Amino acid sequence: TMAPGVLSIAVSVIIPTYNGASKIERCLTALRGQDFDQSFDVIVVNDGSTDGTSGVLAKYPEVRVITQANAGPAAARNRGVREAVAEIIVFTDDDCEPLPNWLTEMFKPFADPEVVGAKGVYRTRQREIISRFVQADYEDRYRLMARQPTIDFIDTYSAAFRRARFLEMDGYDTSFPVACAEDVELSYRMAGKGWRMLFVPDAIVYHLHPNTFAAYLKKKFKFAFWRVLAVKKNPSKAVNDSHTPPLMKLQLLFCPVMFLAILGDFFHLSATSLTLIVLLGFLLTVLPFSVRVFGKDPVLGTISPLITIARSCAQFLGVFSGVSYSILNSAIAAFQPVPVRKL
């Protein structure tokens, strides 16, 4: 039961929004329809929206709205947690549509007092090729996570935490200026403490994935760029985490290795085509995923290697740019004059 203003509520659902007028209504309507059998409240942090978001939020008087100057999604989520009163906090995004049992499923893991966090899943109703590929990619990651007794990767679209533990970690790192990798970085820090976090495959939110090739590659570049900062702060996660298939990290090397292979063939450094060897090697890393996808979607399974090649190149460029950006910032900081304290 949604119960605004009741101090004994079990769960606070927190949603940051910036110019979300065109999408947040679907999210809030879905939250009205939750079949959760305990009391909960919904907190929306309006992060400096300049569109009609305030007018849309006014249609939901049961929702607690906190308005602030634009400070970014990490700061907005942290503000929502500070204002919350429930022991368990749950996040979703303003472009998500939770199913009626979502909150019930997100709450279940916390019956175990050792559980600190929980993560749900994405679904989509879209039928575009790229959107279907995005969903298939997520489902392959979920397959990996379902085998883990504890996870280290909780994204904000369907995330839950014990509020006290979240605050103990000082929440999301506000040095991330966009909604990208700040959630991953917090998960890494929590995992570093040895805290238990669970994957909840029945906690489903529907989402609109990128539906064009350009939008998809742009998103993969951005995620790879900011993941560099998350890994820099948690270097042990550079090699392995519970969300990223190991073969995907290997595929990051395709772009530079293919470039070197093409150069090698141009200068006739080998009697055998280096380009062909690299391409065949890459296809071997893609084959397990493509076979799994083909069983559900033959068209998507057939073209998935081509999309994966483009994705790996976008991700490599994102990582390369992120590393360069990090090195440049560190160099600038090293040469900053140290302020002299006056006695």
Side-chain angles (χ1 to χ4, degrees):
T1 305
M2 195 181 297
V6 179
L7 295 180
S8 61
I9 58 175
V11 176
S12 287
V13 180
I14 299 166
I15 309 165
T17 188
Y18 173 71
N19 289 346
S22 64
K23 51 194 176 183
I24 196 170
E25 193 163 0
R26 290 188 296 273
C27 180
L28 296 178
T29 299
L31 289 173
R32 271 182 175 172
Q34 292 297 298
D35 61 12
F36 191 50
D37 62 3
Q38 301 192 53
S39 59
F40 71 98
D41 68 347
V42 176
I43 300 171
V44 173
V45 182
N46 188 357
D47 190 36
S49 297
T50 56
D51 64 352
T53 298
S54 295
V56 173
L57 296 178
K59 300 177 183 178
Y60 298 85
E62 72 276 23
V63 172
R64 183 179 176 194
V65 178
I66 300 167
T67 302
Q68 65 179 30
N70 183 255
R77 290 189 182 97
N78 291 347
R79 173 77 182 277
V81 174
R82 290 195 302 271
E83 299 281 350
V85 296
E87 177 189 353
I88 305 301
I89 53 168
V90 181
F91 294 102
T92 191
D93 295 331
D94 61 2
D95 60 352
C96 292
E97 220 178 309
L99 288 186
N101 68 332
W102 173 71
L103 202 50
T104 298
E105 296 298 330
M106 291 298 286
F107 187 69
K108 279 182 181 178
F110 296 97
D112 180 347
E114 296 299 315
V115 171
V116 170
K119 164 190 166 60
V121 304
Y122 266 149
R123 290 287 185 270
T124 190
R125 301 181 181 93
Q126 296 164 281
R127 298 309 303 156
E128 298 92 344
I129 283 287
I130 289 296
S131 301
R132 281 154 49 196
F133 180 85
V134 173
Q135 184 61 39
D137 184 28
Y138 273 117
E139 290 178 8
D140 213 52
R141 294 166 188 259
Y142 298 152
R143 184 184 64 88
L144 176 67
M145 299 187 88
R147 301 199 296 260
Q148 308 296 321
T150 183
I151 61 174
D152 59 10
F153 199 109
I154 297 181
D155 339 43
T156 55
Y157 63 81
S158 186
F161 299 100
R162 294 193 186 275
R163 180 173 178 269
R165 292 299 202 183
F166 184 94
L167 293 173
E168 183 179 333
M169 299 300 289
D170 295 323
Y172 292 114
D173 186 339
T174 55
S175 66
F176 290 84
V178 295
C180 198
E182 82 285 359
D183 47 2
V184 175
E185 194 278 332
L186 174 62
S187 307
Y188 286 169
R189 278 189 283 135
M190 287 184 165
K193 292 277 190 180
W195 293 348
R196 190 168 184 228
M197 298 178 283
L198 297 182
F199 175 58
V200 189
D202 293 327
I204 299 167
V205 299
Y206 274 83
H207 184 252
L208 292 177
H209 300 324
N211 59 6
T212 67
F213 198 52
Y216 173 64
L217 295 183
K218 181 179 179 181
K219 186 171 184 178
K220 300 313 290 185
F221 174 90
K222 184 178 80 167
F223 272 58
F225 181 96
W226 291 110
R227 184 74 61 81
V228 170
L229 180 56
V231 170
K232 181 182 178 182
K233 293 172 179 286
N234 304 271
S236 65
K237 297 300 179 182
V239 176
N240 188 43
D241 64 62
S242 62
H243 184 256
T244 309
L247 285 177
M248 182 178 291
K249 293 190 175 183
L250 182 63
Q251 289 164 4
L252 281 175
L253 299 174
F254 172 78
C255 193
V257 172
M258 177 58 85
F259 176 74
L260 293 175
I262 292 171
L263 281 181
D265 286 343
F266 181 79
F267 290 107
H268 306 290
L269 298 182
S270 172
T272 307
S273 171
L274 297 175
T275 301
L276 182 60
I277 291 172
V278 171
L279 186 59
L280 289 175
F282 179 85
L283 290 177
L284 284 176
T285 71
V286 177
L287 186 61
F289 171 74
S290 297
V291 169
R292 286 192 294 271
V293 173
F294 188 89
K296 300 176 182 178
D297 188 333
V299 173
L300 184 59
T302 302
I303 66 171
S304 62
L306 296 176
I307 301 175
T308 307
I309 286 174
R311 179 188 69 190
S312 68
C313 291
Q315 289 175 320
F316 171 77
L317 292 174
V319 169
F320 180 82
S321 300
V323 170
S324 302
Y325 175 81
S326 179
I327 292 172
L328 179 61
N329 274 0
S330 297
I332 291 172
F335 285 99
Q336 289 290 334
V338 178
V340 178
R341 294 180 61 186
K342 294 182 180 180
L343 299 178

